[in-house]
């Protein structure tokens, strides 16, 4: 009996706790709440803390994150003033400023993102159509008007978002710009041609430089050989001149000198492959002939 | 048996309550988006089936019992032929026979069907059902689950109490099932409350545990049914196959101590149950659990912040220390759910990737453009995974009016949290806003920069300008972040044209290679020419010396031989000739012809191959073979 009593009491306490929880709403720092009574918004809570409410289905608390959050719009195509297609992506920072209006007209973060995207896209198209393409990309930094475009878009949608949806937009930025697929392909083709042309230039420069270096090397080689040949000729000439001094000795008996030269020439010319045909009248073989007689 | 009819109606009441709560659970499933409600719905469905089976068993058992009593009464009052009322007659429409059929077929059939449903649903959950969705109106769902738990607690206790008597033994199955639904509902409600208060997904784990128990119960039922075929207690086991022994372990807590004691007694031959006074142990179970819960709850008053963390204590949603965040170390707070802690890794550097994230899987840009549903074009979808930026391309062209280039950038930015309050409460996702601001700055800066310049020489200046602007913008926006470092490592042309850029780099390398090869050739040629020239010079000098030396030696020889020659010129000449012949004819062929012969002589001076040449060829062939 005692044990059952404990069970009953503890069960009742737990049930009581959770019933009590239905009578309160906690609004955290950075949140806002709208209390609806039988579906009708009756109270806005902007300060964090613990608040009383009647349990569902009498009262219901709709909590919204009131902190600044970021939404990024579609990267959508638009026209510039000079008729160029351009892709512009936007981001916007926003927060719930009027919770009741936000609950009634938007209801959820996803829906808020969708509505803001529509609003921003429309304003972006309008603003971009007032600028030429050169305001987006230009060699002159002062001519790039992206900051002015952001300010104009923000100015154009700030009041409308607050008025229509209870959303306060604090900033708009252009984090992405681009050109459509077809044009991108054109740009890619141009970049490729430009790069290929540059590559060919570098290759040609290389070949040209190599040819020059080779030419210079060949010329230098020829020069070196020519110098060496000339030196060789000079050396031989000098040698001949020096040798001529010794030849003066031969003047003592030119005939004998010639004879000696002849003998040495014959000696030098005879080798294994020489064939000599001599008459038996020639010395010393004439001796053989005399004996046979 | 009047009491039996009353308790029979309690089963019907339980079934009605189960149907009603199951319907509400399914409604809450759609309203809160929590799969937990659907899982509990499956438990309820199986419990409805079990109550139905028990209801039929009890009803037919009662019918059979009354019929038997009637037969016995008639048998006792009739003295004649009793075969009409005899059990042996085998009347096919008797309540007893119907009861027998129910006992034989219905219980196993229900057990098998219920087990299969439980196992299949459990497998479905574990194979990818989404149990992690954060709840909408979680507190509403939790309140209902707690209420449901309370309701089934009452039913469970009632039926388990009844099942202690022999007549209502079969109520034990529904009692356990309802007790299990009570516990699961309570646990699920508690998990949802914890998720709501802490934003930690307790409900996800509750979903997995609930699905796991479901599968376990299904497997248990099938195993019991299989083992019962071979058991001597076959009839009893089949009759109670749907009763979960595992579930009874947690739904009938006062039996825990008894079960443990019995197990120890059985295993070790002791008699613990009597020695330790089982009743004391049984009475301690609930207080121990309650004490544990209280201790755990009180432990939530102490928390520790890690070395890289700072934090806020939030009381009913409001930060108590907004200006002075708590530092690393141990801190005290009121117990949960009065106070909660918000921890932030404020001392750890975080990296935000601007442009593209190199850690993400590489995707073909063109394919990504076609697949991205978030891009709207008048003609085709368009998006580049590399997220290229427009840069200045130089002079005008016909296509765009301005020559544009495209460049891909990954700019990892390291940041530190410097203002915890702004970081936590001013912005929902400061990193996302930071990344968008940084991307906006990159877009503006690149719009006037030259593509090649960004890739090469201008990179340093570009990085400095980005860092300065980003710091200024982040401070102005009060994001609570400080830029520590900006990396510009990942700047490259878009992948579609990257090959063309690489080709230029290759061409530069080829140019260098051609030049270096020509230089190498030049060096080789020059060195060879120098060597050749040196050889020529050396040869010339040698020639010169040889000529002089020869002349000198000839002059000397002449001088030496002139004397003898003067003495006997003819003899000298003859001897000289003979010396020539003597020396010269050693290795030469000599033909002697008669000086007086008149005939014409023909000589074949053709060279004949030598024998050694033939032998040499044969040797080579042998070696080749």
């Amino acid at each position: 009996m005692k044990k059952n009593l404990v069970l009953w009491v503890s069960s009742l306490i737990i049930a009581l706790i959770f019933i009590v929880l239905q009578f309160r709403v906690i609004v955290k720092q950075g949140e806002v709440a709208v209390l609806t009574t039988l579906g009708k918004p009756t109270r806005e809570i902007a300060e964090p803390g613990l608040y009383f409410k009647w349990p569902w289905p009498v009262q219901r608390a709709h909590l919204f994150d009131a902190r600044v959050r970021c939404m990024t719009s579609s990267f959508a195509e638009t026209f510039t003033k000079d008729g160029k297609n351009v892709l512009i992506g936007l981001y916007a920072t926003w927060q719930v400023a009027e919770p009741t209006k936000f609950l009634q007209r938007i209801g959820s973060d996803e829906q808020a993102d969708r509505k803001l995207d529509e609003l921003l896209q429309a304003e972006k198209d309008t603003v971009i159509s007032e600028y030429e393409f050169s305001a987006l990309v230009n060699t002159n930094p002062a001519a790039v008007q992206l900051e002015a475009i952001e300010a104009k878009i923000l100015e154009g949608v700030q009041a409308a978002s607050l008025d229509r949806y209870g959303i306060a937009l604090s900033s708009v930025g252009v984090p992405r710009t681009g050109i459509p697929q077809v044009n991108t392909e054109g740009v890619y083709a141009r970049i490729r041609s430009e790069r290929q042309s540059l590559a060919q230039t570098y290759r040609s420069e290389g070949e040209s430089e190599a040819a020059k270096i080779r030419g210079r090397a060949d010329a230098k080689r020829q020069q070196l050989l020519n110098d060496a040949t000339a030196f060789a000729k000079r050396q031989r000439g000098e040698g001949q001149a020096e040798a001529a001094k010794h030849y003066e000795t031969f003047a003592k008996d030119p005939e004998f000198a010639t004879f000696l030269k002849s003998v040495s020439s014959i000696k030098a010319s005879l080798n294994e492959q020489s064939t000599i045909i001599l008459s038996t009248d020639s010395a010393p073989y004439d001796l053989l002939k005399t004996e046979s007689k | 048996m009047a009491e039996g009819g009353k308790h029979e109606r309690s089963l019907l009441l339980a079934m009605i309550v189960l149907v009603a709560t199951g319907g509400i659970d399914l409604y809450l499933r759609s309203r809160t988006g929590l799969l937990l409600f659907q899982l509990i719905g499956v438990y309820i469905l199986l419990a409805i089936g079990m109550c139905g089976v028990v209801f039929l068993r009890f009803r037919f058992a009662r019918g059979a019992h009354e019929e038997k009593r009637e037969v016995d009464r008639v048998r006792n009052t009739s003295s004649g032929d009793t075969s009409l009322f005899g059990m042996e007659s085998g009347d096919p429409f008797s309540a007893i026979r119907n009861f027998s059929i129910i006992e034989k077929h219905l219980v196993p059939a229900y057990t098998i069907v219920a087990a299969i449903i439980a196992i299949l649903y459990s497998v479905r959950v574990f194979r990818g059902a989404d149990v992690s969705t954060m709840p909408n109106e979680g507190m509403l769902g939790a309140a209902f689950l707690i209420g449901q738990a309370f309701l089934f607690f009452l039913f469970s206790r009632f039926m388990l109490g009844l099942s202690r008597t022999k007549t209502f033994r079969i109520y034990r199955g529904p009692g356990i099932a309802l007790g299990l639904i009570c516990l699961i509902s309570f646990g699920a409600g508690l998990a949802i409350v914890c998720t709501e208060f802490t934003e930690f997904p307790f409900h996800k784990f509750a979903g997995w545990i609930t699905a796991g128990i479901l599968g376990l119960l299904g497997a248990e039922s099938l195993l019991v049914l299989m083992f019962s075929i071979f058991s001597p207690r076959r009839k009893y086991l089949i009759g109670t196959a749907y009763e979960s022994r595992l579930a009874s372990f947690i739904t009938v807590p006062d039996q825990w101590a008894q079960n443990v004691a019995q197990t120890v007694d059985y295993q070790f031959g002791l008699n613990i149950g009597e020695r330790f006074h089982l009743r004391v142990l049984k009475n301690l179970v609930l207080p121990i659990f309650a004490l544990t819960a209280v201790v755990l709850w009180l432990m939530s008053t102490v928390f520790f912040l890690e070395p890289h963390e700072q934090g806020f204590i939030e009381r009913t949603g409001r930060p108590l220390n907004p200006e002075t965040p708590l530092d690393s170390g141990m801190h005290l707070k009121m117990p949960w759910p009065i106070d909660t802690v918000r921890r932030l890794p404020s001392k750890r550097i975080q990296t935000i990737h601007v442009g593209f994230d190199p850690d993400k899987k590489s995707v073909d840009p063109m394919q990504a453009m076609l697949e991205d549903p978030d891009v709207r074009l008048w003609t085709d979808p368009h998006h580049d995974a590399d997220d290229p930026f427009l840069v200045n391309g130089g002079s005008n062209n016909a296509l765009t009016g301005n020559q544009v280039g495209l460049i891909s950038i990954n700019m990892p930015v390291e940041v530190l949290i410097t203002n915890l309050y702004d970081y936590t409460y001013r912005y929902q996702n400061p990193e996302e806003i930071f990344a968008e601001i940084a991307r906006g700055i990159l877009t503006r800066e690149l719009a006037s920069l030259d593509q090649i310049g960004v890739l090469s020489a201008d990179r340093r200046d570009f990085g400095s300008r980005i860092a300065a602007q980003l710091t200024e913008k982040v401070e102005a926006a009060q994001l609570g972040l400080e830029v520590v470092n900006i990396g510009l490592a990942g700047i490259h042309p878009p992948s579609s044209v990257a090959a063309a850029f690489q080709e230029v780099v290759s061409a530069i390398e080829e140019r260098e290679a051609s030049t270096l090869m020509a230089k190498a050739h030049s060096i080789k040629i020059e060195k060879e020419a120098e060597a050749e020239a040196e050889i020529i010079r050396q040869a010339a000098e040698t020639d010169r010396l040889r000529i002089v030396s020869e002349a000198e030696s000839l002059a000397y020889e002449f001088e030496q031989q002139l004397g003898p020659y003067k003495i006997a010129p003819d003899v000298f000449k003859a001897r000289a000739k003979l010396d020539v012949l003597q020396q010269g004819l050693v290795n030469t062929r000599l033909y002697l012809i008669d000086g007086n012969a008149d005939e014409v002589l023909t000589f074949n001076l053709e060279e004949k191959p030598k024998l050694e040449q033939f032998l040499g060829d044969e040797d080579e062939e042998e070696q080749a073979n």
Side-chain angles (χ1 to χ4, degrees), chain A residues 225-239, chain B residues 533-544 547:
Chain A
L225 291 178
N226 289 344
D227 289 350
T229 308
F231 175 79
K233 282 179 180 170
R234 280 199 303 279
Q235 285 291 311
R236 287 197 186 89
E238 285 172 12
Chain B
E534 188 59 30
I535 290 167
I536 291 169
R537 275 197 292 273
Q538 291 293 336
E541 283 183 1
T542 309
D543 277 355
R544 174 178 166 275
I547 291 166

Side-chain angles (χ1 to χ4, degrees), chain A residues 194-205:
Chain A
E194 197 178 272
R195 296 285 98 192
Q196 280 162 4
S197 161
L198 193 58
Q200 193 52 49
T201 305
Y202 285 132
R203 286 196 184 96
S204 302
E205 278 177 14

Side-chain angles (χ1 to χ4, degrees), chain A residues 3 23 25 55 103 105 130 145 161 171 179 221 268 270:
Chain A
K3 191 172 67 182
F23 283 87
V25 58
L103 171 67
R105 301 192 179 179
E130 295 168 5
Q145 297 291 310
S161 66
S171 68
I179 47 177
R221 174 180 180 277
L270 286 176

Side-chain angles (χ1 to χ4, degrees), chain B residues 309-378:
Chain B
E309 288 180 333
Q310 287 181 292
F312 294 112
I313 295 175
E314 290 177 353
R315 181 166 299 162
T316 60
R318 186 193 295 272
L320 294 180
N321 51 337
E323 301 302 324
T324 53
L326 300 174
D327 214 338
S328 311
M330 192 185 87
H331 301 276
L332 296 174
K333 68 176 181 66
M334 296 288 280
W336 180 88
I338 300 165
D339 281 359
T340 53
V341 181
R342 192 183 285 262
R343 300 160 178 273
L344 295 158
S346 58
K347 295 174 190 170
R348 182 158 288 169
I349 287 180
Q350 299 170 60
T351 303
I352 300 169
H353 286 279
V354 182
F356 67 91
D357 188 345
D359 295 334
K360 286 186 182 169
K361 192 185 168 188
S362 170
V363 184
D364 175 37
M366 296 302 292
Q367 192 62 31
M369 280 182 197
L370 294 171
E371 288 174 359
D372 189 345
D374 195 32
V375 174
R376 291 178 299 175
L377 247 196
W378 296 340

